[in-house]
Amino acid sequence: MSTALPEQIEAIFQQVKARNPGEDEFHQAVKEVLESLGPVLVKYPEFSDQKIIERICEPERQIIFRVPWQDDRGEVHINRGFRVEFNSALGPYKGGLRFHPSVYLGIIKFLGFEQVFKNALTGMPIGGGKGGADFDPKGRSDSEIMRFCQSFMTELHRHLGEHTDVPAGDIGVGGREIGYLFGQYKRLTNRYESGVLTGKGIGWGGSLVRKEATGYGAVYFVREMLKVRKDSLDGKTCVVSGAGNVAIYTIEKLHEHGARVVACSDSHGVIIVEKGIDLDLVKQLKEVERRRIADYAGYRQGARYLAGGTIWEVPCQVAMPSATQNELNGRDARTLVRNGCIAIGEGANMPTTPEGIRVFLDAGIAYGPGKAANAGGVATSALEMQQNASRDSWSFEFTEQKLDSIMTGIHAATWETAEEFGAPGNYVIGANIAGFIRVARAMEALGLI
Ligand code: NDP
């Protein structure tokens, strides 16, 4: 029988690195999960015998394709599209599409890998996948975005289906892009297959609360972390990085809970407003006019803009990284702890570097990793799929109540699993182990496939 030695885990990790050269973000995501799994292999040696970890680290399918398109001046551009179908033991592949110039296979694989465990944590019947393109939507006209989405879907559609693979949005892919992608899928297949994409518009198959779900869910997770510490969000000073979909609805829900968000950001800089961010203005600038957060300062007295500054230097009690991977490093984490931060809730995927995570865990503050804390988005996507399958649409209140109970359930599961495996209060270990066991049990039941 196999024994769960740290060397066994290390050997698996070295194999993953060797098989996937140059994919640093993927290595980082795999290492973080593998570091939690030693005690699981001791308790369940059958997972070693069946090589579940080795199988889970190898995507079921990886698709890379050419995306040619023409800009408004007639110039031809070639981008690269990806879809990594990571694991379908629990259901159809589910996970967003990212359009950003930094996208390459290593980013999509890290996101797809994380997605497998996150989706398992929701308790819903969804497998994990992720996709996207190295396309930069910034500064592009609506027509250019539409042509790009149509070209992207012209290849991708043959790999999708409501029972096969169901993409959604991520960085650079919001309601507008999902609309163009769905339109092209419908045209190519001649099927109004609502369940093939989530994040659709209200009125053509979308779910209320989907747009708000990742941010709202992350705040519910932080609320639960504070509750076990006999504390609450009421009156807390918060910072939220980013100013996109996740950040905006994180700020909205924090304000509803009586907290005050004093800073947000985008990739160019940070806006600081001591008396609290005016969220309506952020929505107008970012969602409607697609402008920079720097423009906020021109509309409100008392707002300070730091070009290129780091948001983590703004003193706060609760920090919610909601922009992108590795945006918060060890130095930032030490600054946050020194300034009195008591809770971190990750809206983004893998926003904290391994050194930053160690700082938070060593300081004993409440640290909610993205895998658990930002699962509300995909959970509500699964609720959208349920509504599509039954040709029904639920009210905002009903859907939000479901989201709240899913996030409360994820918090409880990660908390209890951490305790069971001897790491009370460590949500990293709790999330990794709880997610892994659910996927592993399904893989075991389905046989060697
Ligand atoms: P958006 O595209 O709506 O917003 C992204 C925000 O992050 C923007 O303000 C953007 O600034 C900023 N940002 C992006 N890249 C960088 C960078 N390299 N450095 C600094 N800032 C950056 O994306 P989302 O809000 O949807 O996604 C944010 C994060 O949340 C991602 O990690 C995503 O994977 C994760 N997530 C999203 C879910 C969803 O439902 N949308 C679900 C679960 C996780 P700028 O405009 O200047 O680029």
Side-chain angles (χ1 to χ4, degrees):
M1 186 178 292
S2 322
T3 43
L5 301 170
E7 300 92 81
Q8 179 193 354
I9 303 268
E10 180 62 25
I12 297 172
F13 177 58
Q14 290 307 328
Q15 201 181 7
V16 169
K17 272 175 74 173
R19 283 170 67 77
N20 304 276
E23 297 174 1
D24 294 348
E25 296 83 359
F26 179 50
H27 303 164
Q28 182 182 335
V30 168
K31 187 160 191 228
E32 192 241 277
V33 171
L34 263 49
E35 279 173 349
S36 303
L37 296 183
V40 180
L41 296 188
V42 173
K43 190 162 182 185
Y44 305 114
E46 64 271 24
F47 291 157
S48 295
D49 300 336
Q50 295 167 14
K51 291 207 171 26
I52 296 281
I53 301 184
E54 291 89 329
R55 282 158 62 194
I56 250 176
C57 291
E58 182 70 22
E60 289 176 14
R61 193 174 297 110
Q62 307 182 55
I63 301 146
I64 303 181
F65 52 98
R66 180 172 67 199
V67 189
W69 59 282
Q70 245 176 334
D71 68 20
D72 288 344
R73 292 173 304 142
E75 190 182 334
V76 171
H77 300 262
I78 314 294
N79 284 98
R80 187 171 286 176
F82 302 88
R83 186 72 182 165
V84 174
E85 298 181 332
F86 227 107
N87 194 299
S88 60
L90 291 172
Y93 309 105
K94 185 87 199 82
L97 299 171
R98 176 176 292 191
F99 291 168
H100 193 271
S102 64
V103 163
Y104 78 107
L105 188 57
I107 296 262
I108 300 298
K109 274 161 77 174
F110 116 65
L111 290 164
F113 184 76
E114 291 265 303
Q115 196 83 46
V116 173
F117 305 101
K118 178 190 310 187
N119 293 5
L121 282 174
T122 67
M124 305 177 91
I126 41 179
K130 200 82 187 189
D134 59 354
F135 167 69
D136 189 355
K138 285 211 181 71
R140 292 290 172 195
S141 69
D142 277 359
S143 318
E144 289 173 324
I145 298 285
M146 182 178 74
R147 285 197 293 277
F148 180 82
C149 288
Q150 289 177 340
S151 180
F152 184 83
M153 186 52 92
T154 299
E155 172 55 33
L156 188 64
H157 84 281
R158 66 189 89 248
H159 307 288
L160 306 184
E162 61 183 332
H163 301 297
T164 309
D165 186 348
V166 184
D170 190 81
I171 291 177
V173 178
R176 173 183 59 171
E177 291 75 17
I178 293 291
Y180 296 145
L181 291 163
F182 183 68
Q184 184 72 351
Y185 182 87
K186 186 177 80 61
R187 187 178 193 194
L188 290 165
T189 59
N190 197 28
R191 284 165 61 85
Y192 205 107
E193 195 182 327
S194 300
V196 76
L197 281 170
T198 58
K200 299 182 294 297
I202 307 305
W204 49 276
S207 172
L208 289 166
V209 193
R210 175 61 190 90
K211 183 175 66 172
E212 295 84 356
T214 307
Y216 280 18
V219 175
Y220 296 144
F221 195 90
V222 171
R223 179 197 66 197
E224 293 302 302
M225 291 199 300
L226 292 177
K227 203 185 278 175
V228 294
R229 290 166 180 246
K230 310 260 180 292
D231 203 347
S232 80
L233 279 163
D234 193 29
K236 295 285 184 296
T237 302
C238 309
V239 303
V240 177
S241 66
N245 172 264
V246 177
I248 285 174
Y249 293 97
T250 296
I251 297 171
E252 184 161 285
K253 195 46 85 177
L254 283 169
H255 283 169
E256 275 179 37
H257 278 73
R260 184 168 48 102
V261 179
V262 295
C264 67
S265 61
D266 63 16
S267 57
H268 289 210
V270 182
I271 198 88
I272 304 169
V273 189
E274 290 303 339
K275 67 180 193 331
I277 296 275
D278 175 348
L279 187 60
D280 287 340
L281 178 55
V282 175
K283 284 186 180 177
Q284 179 64 28
L285 291 173
K286 300 303 282 189
E287 289 188 326
V288 180
E289 299 174 24
R290 298 181 193 276
R291 288 164 63 183
R292 314 292 332 164
I293 201 66
D295 296 338
Y296 185 105
Y299 290 92
R300 292 288 179 274
Q301 285 191 340
R304 268 191 303 135
Y305 179 67
L306 291 181
T310 163
I311 192 168
W312 313 122
E313 281 169 12
V314 180
C316 65
Q317 292 156 297
V318 175
M320 301 200 57
S322 307
T324 194
Q325 65 276 353
N326 293 326
E327 56 168 309
L328 195 166
N329 62 26
R331 206 180 108 225
D332 300 326
R334 281 187 287 278
T335 305
L336 282 165
V337 171
R338 197 172 48 244
N339 285 340
C341 185
I342 56 165
I344 309 288
E346 294 185 341
N349 286 309
M350 207 170 76
T352 309
T353 63
E355 189 194 351
I357 295 174
R358 264 194 308 279
V359 171
F360 292 142
L361 294 178
D362 289 349
I365 70 171
Y367 169 66
K371 218 179 260 118
N374 72 35
V378 75
T380 308
S381 276
L383 298 178
E384 182 174 333
M385 291 162 74
Q386 278 185 26
Q387 292 169 75
N388 294 152
S390 58
R391 298 184 184 278
D392 199 357
S393 39
W394 305 338
S395 70
F396 196 95
E397 293 68 27
F398 181 79
T399 316
E400 191 183 0
Q401 181 49 49
K402 279 194 172 273
L403 168 65
D404 193 339
S405 62
I406 291 166
M407 294 311 298
T408 305
I410 293 174
H411 175 272
T414 49
W415 175 264
E416 285 159 17
T417 306
E419 282 218 323
E420 183 190 338
F421 283 85
N426 185 328
Y427 294 99
V428 176
I429 287 182
N432 287 339
I433 294 184
F436 175 81
I437 290 178
R438 183 156 188 252
V439 182
R441 286 284 175 232
M443 289 175 72
E444 228 185 343
L446 300 187
L448 189 56
I449 52 171

